[in-house]
Structures are given as structure tokens and as C-alpha cells.
Amino acid sequence: MDVSVILPSYNPGEKLITAVKALNTAGFDDIIVINDGSDKKNSAEIFEKIKRISYISLISHEKNMGKGRALKTGFEYFLKNRPNKKGLVTTDDDMQHRAEDISACCREMIKTGKAVFGARNFRGREIPPKSRFGNNFTSFTFRFLCGIKITDTQTGLRALPASYLPMLTDVSGDRFEYETNMLLAMKENGLEFKELPIKTIYTDNNSGTHFRPIRDSLKIYAVILKYIASSLLASAVDLTGFTLFNLLLPDKMDESTRIFAATAFARVISAAVNFTVNRQRVFKSKSCLNSSIIKYCILSICQAVMSYGIVFLVTALLGTGQNILSTFYKMAVDTVLFFLCFAAQREWVFKKKTTDK
């Protein structure tokens, strides 16, 4: 098969030897193993065996740098030393992926010219609860907020065409977040992928994983968390402005006019803060500034009109009048609008055109 295998490894056991032999039996004769700073005392013997296998190229990091960095090291080596290969496939060193599934993903990649990801089924009882919940939640989040339809966001089995790799080597992230950032970058750059169902294998309740639940999850959700932080900042500015304007505007003012004016004044201030932070820090957009401003203004106006309309409707129906309860109604309404606006900003306001990649 005219495809190289990239296999990052950290403190492996004998499964690594079993894995590379299974791959070779399945037809892979070019396996690039990345020793990501494994403990020399416990892993030296394994890598000495690996060195002596003719179809393996071994690259070693002096210290542990993370799975993302190991993958990028493999990509860079491939681009420099395998110019005639059609692509590569990434897999793990713990036998979580069967050789036949890896081969199937590669064949589909060659056939379609698209990246092909092995998708595990997370519905079975044999799946560790933390893995089942984590992947299902991430999958829902990516579909709803990022517009990426994928069932297995953290699969290590990814067959990638050679043409995708120059862009993927520049994607940020050195640990598990890199695989998530890869998905976002592929969508931004118009690089297509498809999923292929594969067998789900967990041994010893996935005890061999090097995934750090809290730290790595924070990195995986970095873009979303930054957007939440930016939105919370803007919401604080918006709610403060709305409350002040709502309380300070004349009592004689019609209720509809007062709520509209308070919403408008507060939104202008918070929108300026939110646009600046999102463009520079969250989405790190390089799209046309003027175009982004116009789109953002349109989105903000639509959001403000919806916020005003719903808050006014609730206030009128409940007859609360001019009091602090209007602020709490607005908080509830804006929470729902928050999720809709994340998708709109990513997919429309700050989206980089495919022709600009």
C-alpha cells in the first residue's frame, strides 16, 4: 500500500511490537514510529527492537512533547522524505485499532482523495463511561457550535492525503488538543473528510491512555472556552449598561421605548468589546476587516432585535414593569442566543474564504 504509517509512542509496552508486525502483515512496509520522550529505563529495550525492524523509521524526541507534537514531527518527516507517497495514516501504539480497519481507511482515502477517519461506536456497555460521555458531549458540541458533523472527535485513526499535510503541520497544539484543532483547521480551509465505522477496542478500561482529563479537556475546548470568556465579558458590559439605562431613563417613557433604548445603548458598547476580542483572540481571524464589521453589525442587530422582542414580550405578559426582573429575563434570553451566535460568528462573520487559504 502506497501509504506511510505515523505511529506516535510514549512509554510503550510489547503491544507496540505486536502493532507494527500486524501492520506489516496487512501490507504496510513504511512505518514511522515517533518515540515521544519515553522513559529510557523502561522503554529502551522496546525501541532497540523497533530499530532492528527493516520497515520502520524511528524518530525520537529527547523529552516528552505531547501527541500533537509527535504527529507533526511525523508529518514533517513524511513531507521531507516521502515525496511520492499518496498519503499517510496515523494510529496508536496500544492496539486500539485493528490492522484491517487501518487498511480500509487508507483504501477509502486513496479512492476518494479525502481524509478518512476511523469512527468508533460509543454506545456499547464495554465503553468506559468517561470515554462515552466525553466523546458524545464533544461530538454534540462540534456539530452544534462548529458545524462539524463527526461522531468520533478524538479518533487516533486518520488517513490523510499528502496534499493536506503542509497545512496540518502549521496547526497549533502539542498535545491531545491538536487532533481537535486539526478538525477546525480542516473545516476553515475547505479540506474534506469522511468517517468509516471501525471496531471499538478498549483494554483494561483504557488504563493505558496518557490523556489527562482536566488539563487536556481544557485545551481541546480552548476555542469554545475563549469564546465563552469573551461572551461573558461582553455580557457583563451589556447587562451593566442595560440595567443602568433601564433604571436611569425617565419613568414617563413608554415601556417599549425604554427597553428598546436600554437594549440598543448597551449593545453598542458590548458589541465593540466583543468584536475586538473575538476577532483577535478567539477566532484569530484574517478575514477582511470591513466585511467582518458589516457582518458583525448585521448579526448584532438581529441578536438585539430578538433579545428586545422576547424580553419585551415576557415583560408584557408577566406585567413586571420597570424593575430588576427585566435583567434576569434578558440573561435567560441571551444565554440561548449565545449558542446561536457562536456558530454564526465562526461560520459567517470571521470565516476565512477557502480561496484565501
Side-chain angles (χ1 to χ4, degrees):
M1 189 173 294
D2 200 18
V3 176
S4 298
V5 178
I6 302 294
L7 204 162
S9 184
Y10 177 60
N11 292 340
E14 288 291 336
K15 284 184 180 180
L16 175 59
I17 305 295
T18 305
V20 295
K21 289 183 177 179
L23 286 167
N24 185 245
T25 300
F28 294 98
D29 60 2
D30 181 35
I31 302 174
I32 303 167
V33 176
I34 315 298
N35 171 14
D36 187 28
S38 299
D39 182 89
K40 293 181 180 180
K41 181 179 179 181
N42 298 318
S43 302
E45 184 178 349
I46 296 293
F47 286 112
E48 280 300 318
K49 292 180 181 179
I50 288 291
K51 264 188 203 178
R52 294 195 289 267
I53 300 176
S54 61
Y55 50 82
I56 291 180
S57 299
L58 177 63
I59 305 172
S60 297
H61 289 164
E62 287 299 317
K63 61 179 181 179
N64 178 250
M65 301 177 71
K67 184 179 181 181
R69 181 62 261 177
L71 287 172
K72 286 187 278 188
T73 294
F75 295 171
E76 291 163 357
Y77 179 87
F78 175 91
L79 287 171
K80 184 178 180 180
N81 297 281
R82 305 291 190 269
N84 299 319
K85 292 281 187 180
K86 294 180 179 179
L88 58 78
V89 61
T90 67
T91 186
D92 298 328
D93 66 354
D94 56 1
M95 297 292 291
Q96 277 202 38
H97 304 121
R98 301 184 305 169
E100 51 264 46
D101 287 332
I102 298 170
S103 295
C105 287
C106 291
R107 288 194 298 271
E108 188 67 16
M109 180 265 289
I110 293 172
K111 176 183 176 182
T112 63
K114 302 177 182 178
V116 178
F117 297 165
R120 297 164 293 179
N121 186 335
F122 285 87
R123 297 179 181 177
R125 293 183 177 179
E126 72 279 5
I127 308 301
K130 68 176 182 180
S131 297
R132 181 167 54 246
F133 172 79
N135 190 83
N136 289 338
F137 180 77
T138 304
S139 178
F140 170 79
T141 301
F142 267 69
R143 180 176 298 190
F144 186 75
L145 295 182
C146 306
I148 300 176
K149 186 178 180 180
I150 184 169
T151 58
D152 190 352
T153 59
Q154 288 300 301
T155 178
L157 174 48
R158 303 184 178 197
L160 304 168
S163 59
Y164 284 31
L165 299 177
M167 185 278 294
L168 294 178
T169 57
D170 291 331
V171 174
S172 63
D174 288 334
R175 296 192 178 275
F176 287 96
E177 79 278 6
Y178 172 72
E179 292 177 307
T180 301
N181 293 344
M182 181 192 296
L183 296 174
L184 299 174
M186 287 174 63
K187 180 173 177 59
E188 290 172 357
N189 288 272
L191 302 181
E192 296 182 275
F193 73 87
K194 64 176 295 184
E195 291 185 288
L196 201 66
I198 62 173
K199 184 175 178 59
T200 305
I201 302 174
Y202 280 103
T203 57
D204 300 326
N205 203 36
N206 205 26
S207 60
T209 182
H210 300 293
F211 184 82
R212 300 164 299 182
I214 297 178
R215 188 185 303 182
D216 290 324
S217 292
L218 289 175
K219 289 184 177 181
I220 287 172
Y221 287 100
V223 174
I224 297 172
L225 290 173
K226 284 189 288 186
Y227 178 79
I228 291 174
S230 171
S231 296
L232 287 175
L233 173 63
S235 294
V237 173
D238 188 56
L239 286 169
T240 300
F242 175 83
T243 301
L244 291 175
F245 287 127
N246 190 40
L247 293 175
L248 294 176
L249 288 172
D251 292 338
K252 298 179 181 180
M253 184 178 289
D254 177 71
E255 184 175 357
S256 173
T257 304
R258 186 184 68 254
I259 292 178
F260 178 82
T263 299
F265 291 149
R267 187 51 51 89
V268 169
I269 298 173
S270 65
V273 173
N274 188 244
F275 176 86
T276 302
V277 175
N278 283 357
R279 179 178 171 81
Q280 296 180 359
R281 300 295 181 183
V282 179
F283 300 108
K284 298 181 181 178
S285 174
K286 295 182 181 179
S287 59
C288 175
L289 178 61
N290 291 337
S291 175
S292 293
I293 290 176
I294 292 173
K295 291 177 180 178
Y296 185 87
C297 288
I298 293 173
L299 179 63
S300 294
I301 291 172
C302 292
Q303 184 181 9
V305 170
M306 291 179 68
S307 178
Y308 153 72
I310 297 173
V311 171
F312 172 68
L313 179 62
V314 172
T315 301
L317 289 174
L318 298 180
T320 55
Q322 184 178 356
N323 60 45
I324 200 68
L325 284 176
S326 296
T327 297
F328 291 101
Y329 298 151
K330 180 174 171 57
M331 289 175 64
V333 171
D334 286 352
T335 297
V336 176
L337 294 177
F338 160 85
F339 293 103
L340 298 177
C341 285
F342 176 89
Q345 288 189 38
R346 181 171 194 92
E347 298 301 316
W348 184 53
V349 177
F350 299 113
K351 184 177 178 63
K352 180 176 68 173
K353 293 182 179 179
T354 303
T355 53
D356 295 336
K357 68 176 185 278

